[in-house]
Amino acid sequence: HKTGKAVAVVGSGPAGMACAQQLARAGHSVTLFEKNDRMGGLLRYGIPDFKMEKDLINRRLMQMQAEGVVLKESTEVGVHVSMESLRENFDAVVMSGGAEEARQLTIPGAEKSGVRLAMEFLTQQNKRNAGDDEMRAAPRGSILATGKHVIVIGGGDTGSDCVGTSNRQGAASVTQIEIMPKPPVRENKALSWPDWPMKLRTSSSHEEGCERDWSILTKRVVGTNGVVEGLECVRVEWADGQMQEIAGSEFTLKADLIFLAMGFVGPRKAGMLDQSEVALDPRGNVAANVVDYQTSVENVFACGDMRRGQSLVVWAIREGRQCARAVDLHLMGTTELPL
């Protein structure tokens, strides 16, 4: 049964897709906006195809369209459509644009052409695989690791994805470095439970071939004429949460490409967030609680990484579904959507 209410969901990652589908099932008219060529957010362009087949996203999108969700790709809210127009034409707006502002490398030489963000690299390759225009995601030019010595800074999943993609492109060598100490092979359950256990994790990309090193601090990117040739590093030791450089441990890694996979610092502010004028929390994320998901602006909601910061797909899906319930309750005064 249609409610006569219209909701705009901005950002088609796991939070946005989950939220949009639940709202459609509650009877609302839902429009899902995505700035990229295709729906899916980082599911589409952040996770390599060898880790997640994109047919899974396509199947869900076909299901959502059959349920009445209107999909608007290549439409960036804050650029092609203003937040003001969304608020005028929809009864509620859900912001689920993710946390795309990457942490930068602030050392001498980091401006050289061979120092690139991990998401630039991964997005380009996924666009190539899909037959899309990769240059839309290449403001600084195309990136290929073929025949090059690659350094990946950051030991998380994004760094692992850069390793696997570099190997598939035929890199001459791949080295992944991390500033934190090497985790233990087995977790100390007495210390970690019920939190995520701290232990050494080896992905399929690592098994395919790369060098890994820990407790490494980067000092300077070296090269000539703006071209990367190496990365100066020093080893560090950790004590009581404090890091200290080890005297005499300096060394240089040969590098043609350096990928920054050091995490994200929050959502992009330019465009949608600036126009929305919503309040931000101390970390720079959109301020909203997990009860009603409402922002400081009336009828505007936020969920997923845009609200909680960089996190996991499962958290984004959960927040999207809970946010849909909160929006339905807000619009109708009652809801049958599950918690």
Side-chain angles (χ1 to χ4, degrees):
H1 300 285
K2 301 299 287 186
T3 64
K5 302 291 186 180
V7 183
V9 179
V10 186
S12 69
M17 288 178 66
C19 186
Q21 185 167 43
Q22 289 295 90
L23 286 169
R25 290 174 173 178
H28 304 302
S29 297
V30 182
T31 303
L32 182 59
F33 293 87
E34 170 57 52
K35 69 178 185 295
N36 287 308
D37 299 322
R38 299 172 189 257
M39 295 280 168
L42 290 189
L43 293 175
R44 174 79 65 182
Y45 290 123
I47 300 176
D49 291 1
F50 63 82
K51 282 181 64 176
M52 179 181 180
E53 298 88 347
K54 302 310 181 254
D55 285 346
L56 298 172
I57 308 172
N58 298 338
R59 182 178 66 184
R60 179 53 61 103
L61 290 169
M62 289 174 61
Q63 184 186 81
M64 291 169 63
Q65 284 183 296
E67 294 174 351
V69 177
V70 176
L71 307 180
K72 286 192 174 293
E73 299 97 341
S74 302
T75 306
E76 183 171 355
V77 174
V79 178
H80 305 112
V81 180
S82 70
M83 271 296 292
E84 182 181 5
S85 68
L86 291 191
R87 294 191 64 205
E88 289 177 352
N89 293 298
F90 292 88
D91 297 290
V93 178
V94 177
M95 299 193 300
S96 54
E100 294 184 319
E101 195 68 41
R103 182 173 285 107
Q104 301 285 340
L105 185 65
T106 56
I107 61 174
E111 74 285 350
K112 295 185 186 302
S113 61
V115 181
R116 305 297 289 268
L117 294 174
M119 292 312 304
E120 284 186 276
F121 178 53
L122 298 176
T123 298
Q124 282 186 31
Q125 184 56 46
N126 281 5
K127 282 181 173 289
R128 286 190 199 102
N129 293 346
D132 292 342
D133 179 12
E134 67 180 78
M135 298 313 293
R136 280 194 63 184
R140 297 174 58 199
S142 184
I143 315 169
L144 283 171
T146 308
K148 296 179 180 178
H149 297 281
V150 174
I151 306 294
V152 179
I153 303 177
D157 289 340
T158 302
S160 170
D161 294 342
C162 288
V163 169
T165 303
S166 297
N167 281 329
R168 281 161 176 75
Q169 291 185 358
S173 68
V174 183
T175 303
Q176 185 179 24
I177 61 175
E178 166 63 53
I179 194 172
M180 299 302 294
K182 183 177 181 179
V185 175
R186 295 180 180 275
E187 73 271 26
N188 186 336
K189 292 184 178 179
L191 290 178
S192 63
W193 188 91
D195 295 324
W196 185 249
M198 177 63 69
K199 67 177 182 179
L200 180 63
R201 300 180 187 279
T202 300
S203 71
S204 58
S205 294
H206 295 137
E207 292 172 347
E208 291 167 359
C210 80
E211 295 294 325
R212 303 171 73 186
D213 210 343
W214 290 266
S215 297
I216 303 297
L217 176 66
T218 58
K219 299 292 287 185
R220 187 165 72 101
V221 178
V222 296
T224 55
N225 299 321
V227 178
V228 171
E229 295 176 347
L231 181 64
E232 293 182 356
C233 307
V234 64
R235 297 194 179 275
V236 297
E237 55 186 0
W238 291 84
D240 299 324
Q242 299 296 314
M243 178 187 71
Q244 184 172 350
E245 296 182 17
I246 300 175
S249 65
E250 298 83 0
F251 64 99
T252 301
L253 292 170
K254 182 175 177 57
D256 302 305
L257 269 176
I258 299 173
F259 293 129
L260 310 182
M262 305 179 296
F264 301 85
V265 295
R268 292 190 308 155
K269 306 303 187 295
M272 178 175 67
L273 278 193
D274 285 345
Q275 290 184 16
S276 71
E277 298 183 337
V278 296
L280 305 179
D281 68 16
R283 297 173 58 203
N285 303 317
V286 178
N289 62 46
V290 293
V291 177
D292 58 25
Y293 287 90
Q294 290 197 51
T295 70
S296 60
V297 176
E298 186 180 7
N299 297 328
V300 177
F301 301 75
C303 62
D305 287 5
M306 183 163 271
R307 190 205 68 82
R308 67 180 289 121
Q310 179 192 8
S311 191
L312 302 172
V313 169
V314 289
W315 276 112
I317 294 172
R318 180 179 190 242
E319 289 213 356
R321 290 171 62 88
Q322 288 184 333
C323 182
R325 187 180 194 275
V327 172
D328 188 37
L329 182 61
H330 173 76
L331 293 176
M332 307 303 295
T334 183
T335 182
E336 294 183 1
L337 291 177
L339 277 171

